[in-house]
Every structure is written in C-alpha cells, then in structure tokens.
Amino acid sequence: MDHQDYIMRATAGDGSVRIFAASTKDLVGQAAKLHRTTPVATAALGRLLTAAAMMGATLKNDTDILTLDIRGSGALGGLVAVADSKSRVKGYAFNPHIDMKKNAQGKLDVGGALGLGVLSVTKDMGLKEPFSGQVELISGEIAEDMTYYFAASEQTPSSVALGVLVDVDYSVKQAGGYMIQLLPGASEEMIAHLESILPTLPPVTTLLEQEKFDLMAIFPNHDLQILETIYPQYYCSCSREKSQKALASISREELVEILAQDKQINMHCHFCNADYTFTEIDF
Ligand code: ZN
C-alpha cells in the first residue's frame, strides 16, 4: 500500500486547543535505513524525529530551525533531531547499532537505552540568541519527556504521544504521534474533556493502523477544525559547498598543516552520512 507521511494541523474549542497528528512511517523508515539502526534505536530516533516534525510546524518563519537534543547515560548515548518550518527533519542516534533486551512490558526499551539525561530544545529564529529550554528526562520514553518539557519550559499544558512499530525484518511498520496543547482561554469544560478522553486513547501505533487519526472521535461537538495537512520528510541540506565554507573557520596555517600530514580533509555529515573530501587542489 502506498504511504505518504502527513501531519494534520487542527484546532478545537474555538481555537483554545491546538492539535497536531502525524504519520511518519516513511521518514522514520528512511532514517532507519540511512543509519542502519537496531529496533530500539529506530524507535528512539523515530519518536524524536516525529516530535521534531510536529514542533517544526509551529515555527513561524521559513528560516527558523528547531533542534531537539537528548543526552543520556544509557547505551544509546543520545539523539539529535532537527526540523525546519516545513517539517523537513533530519537526525541521528549517537550509538545506532546497540542491542537491548525488551522491557518488562515486552516493548522496545527506549527509556532504558537513553537512561538518565537531559532533553534540550533550541529554536533558532534568526535572533541574536536562540530560544533554548532544558529539562531532565522523566522516563526517557520521549513522549512523556516532551510533555514535561512543554509544561516546565513553555508553560503549555500538552499531551504528547509518540509511537514507532518496528517489524521483525527491522523495517518500520508504523510511526507517528500526536501533540495536543491547551492554549490560554481553554474552558474548564475542555480541560475536563481532555482529562477524561486522553487516558482512554489506544497507543499511537494502534490509532495509525486505522489509517487516519480520527480527531472527530476525540473532539466530538468541540468545534474541530482541520487547518491544513503538512507533508513532512527526511531531508538533509548539506552540500560540498557548505562543507567547504565551514572549513573557512579553520586558520590557513592549520589547513596547511592538516593537508601536509593527511593529504586530505574529510567532512562527515552525521545526518545523512555523506562524506566530503577536500585536497590541496580545492584550496
Ligand atoms: Zn547531510
């Protein structure tokens, strides 16, 4: 069956609730292939990429960049995901090939793979200083950590759910998530409604099996409005030219020294694994 990733952006309760619902199977699958991740690393990276894609859709300007960065004490070491305002994402895991036993619930142990650590969110909006917030990991399962981040750092009560289902052949069977946020002005009735309905929702991957998120079922009689559909994708904008420009920050003496010793300079892109090699001729 053909599949295309999407993010539905919607509001409910007269604009007092904003909703993002994402299906990201293709882009997570692409990330898994690119980085040859083991299932637990696929789940971890896929969840963070999905969160980044949805948060990217909240950026205002074309040039804004969002970075989600997790550093953990576990075997996975950490994760990075970057998104732009068009929900084009890229990312990597520090140790993509780790093997982990499943957790007590028989699920991929993302929390165990990340261990104790810190989640950092950076929004570069072209200002002098980027916006940056940090929280300690609550569970390392990422959705819970994102929920905590929104409450602690952005004062936005949110419900974040993320899910990645990895098949026996290591391919990605389902991936996606949703993010529901209460904005100022949300009624008591709406808050009560969310508090009662959210805990009853099945896991994200089960919702995804039904092909499209049925937001109408979550927000019946709540003035649900689908605002737009966004098509997220895995995208790395690196190039040989950009890599060469980055080398400009190295002093001429240093460049000469490296070239004399190694005959070449290699620039590796962690996001897409491209290698750019420069020799004396390039300078
Ligand atoms: Zn790249």
Side-chain angles (χ1 to χ4, degrees):
M1 190 182 73
D2 267 354
H3 182 271
Q4 186 174 28
D5 292 346
Y6 63 82
I7 299 173
M8 272 190 285
R9 191 166 75 85
T11 64
D14 209 11
S16 66
V17 178
R18 70 174 180 184
I19 304 150
F20 297 87
S23 176
T24 53
K25 176 188 160 175
D26 292 347
L27 73 87
V28 173
Q30 212 175 329
K33 256 193 208 148
L34 203 51
H35 297 297
R36 294 195 201 94
T37 43
T38 47
V40 70
T42 302
L45 182 58
R47 288 182 197 175
L48 198 67
L49 285 169
T50 301
M54 289 191 286
M55 285 180 77
T58 68
L59 297 171
K60 299 266 173 344
N61 306 305
D62 277 0
T63 51
D64 292 354
I65 295 287
L66 167 94
T67 304
L68 303 181
D69 181 306
I70 295 178
R71 306 286 159 116
S73 62
L76 192 60
L79 297 165
V80 176
V82 177
D84 67 12
S85 62
K86 296 184 180 73
S87 295
R88 296 183 298 191
V89 295
K90 58 183 179 179
Y92 60 91
F94 291 9
N95 302 310
H97 311 311
I98 58 155
D99 204 9
M100 295 276 295
K101 279 210 185 78
K102 295 206 168 169
N103 65 18
Q105 290 81 44
K107 298 256 169 69
L108 294 168
D109 191 4
V110 172
L114 280 168
L116 300 173
V118 173
L119 161 70
S120 306
V121 177
T122 309
K123 293 179 193 174
D124 188 344
M125 295 171 284
L127 306 171
K128 244 184 212 153
E129 290 286 321
F131 167 85
S132 172
Q134 277 197 341
V135 289
E136 284 191 19
L137 296 181
I138 298 286
S139 66
E141 295 288 336
I142 302 179
E144 208 179 337
D145 305 299
M146 293 302 308
T147 298
Y148 178 59
Y149 160 79
F150 281 119
S153 207
E154 296 197 10
Q155 287 76 49
T156 306
S158 308
S159 175
V160 182
L162 302 165
V164 175
L165 197 61
V166 182
D167 216 337
V168 283
D169 65 357
Y170 283 24
S171 67
V172 174
K173 210 172 176 185
Q174 292 292 352
Y178 60 79
M179 189 165 101
I180 297 170
Q181 302 189 304
L182 282 175
L183 302 178
S187 65
E188 291 298 324
E189 191 274 326
M190 176 59 87
I191 294 167
H193 170 66
L194 287 175
E195 279 173 355
S196 70
I197 197 159
L198 290 179
T200 69
L201 294 181
V204 167
T205 46
T206 308
L207 290 172
L208 286 164
E209 297 281 342
Q210 305 160 355
E211 291 216 354
K212 277 230 166 195
F213 284 101
D214 188 1
L215 296 179
M216 210 38 131
I218 305 174
F219 296 98
N221 316 314
H222 283 97
D223 181 31
L224 176 75
Q225 293 187 26
I226 308 285
L227 302 177
E228 64 172 327
T229 304
I230 300 155
Y231 298 99
Q233 51 175 298
Y234 197 95
Y235 174 77
C236 186
S237 63
C238 74
S239 69
R240 191 174 167 79
E241 288 67 36
K242 285 184 189 169
S243 297
Q244 192 159 11
K245 265 191 197 144
L247 286 174
S249 61
I250 303 175
S251 75
R252 200 183 156 73
E253 290 75 30
E254 246 179 299
L255 275 180
V256 170
E257 202 175 307
I258 297 168
L259 285 171
Q261 200 175 3
D262 303 333
K263 305 286 181 263
Q264 60 180 39
I265 295 174
N266 286 314
M267 299 280 280
H268 179 76
C269 176
H270 289 293
F271 295 104
C272 69
N273 288 328
D275 282 298
Y276 302 103
T277 304
F278 302 94
T279 62
E280 207 174 345
I281 301 160
D282 296 304
F283 303 98

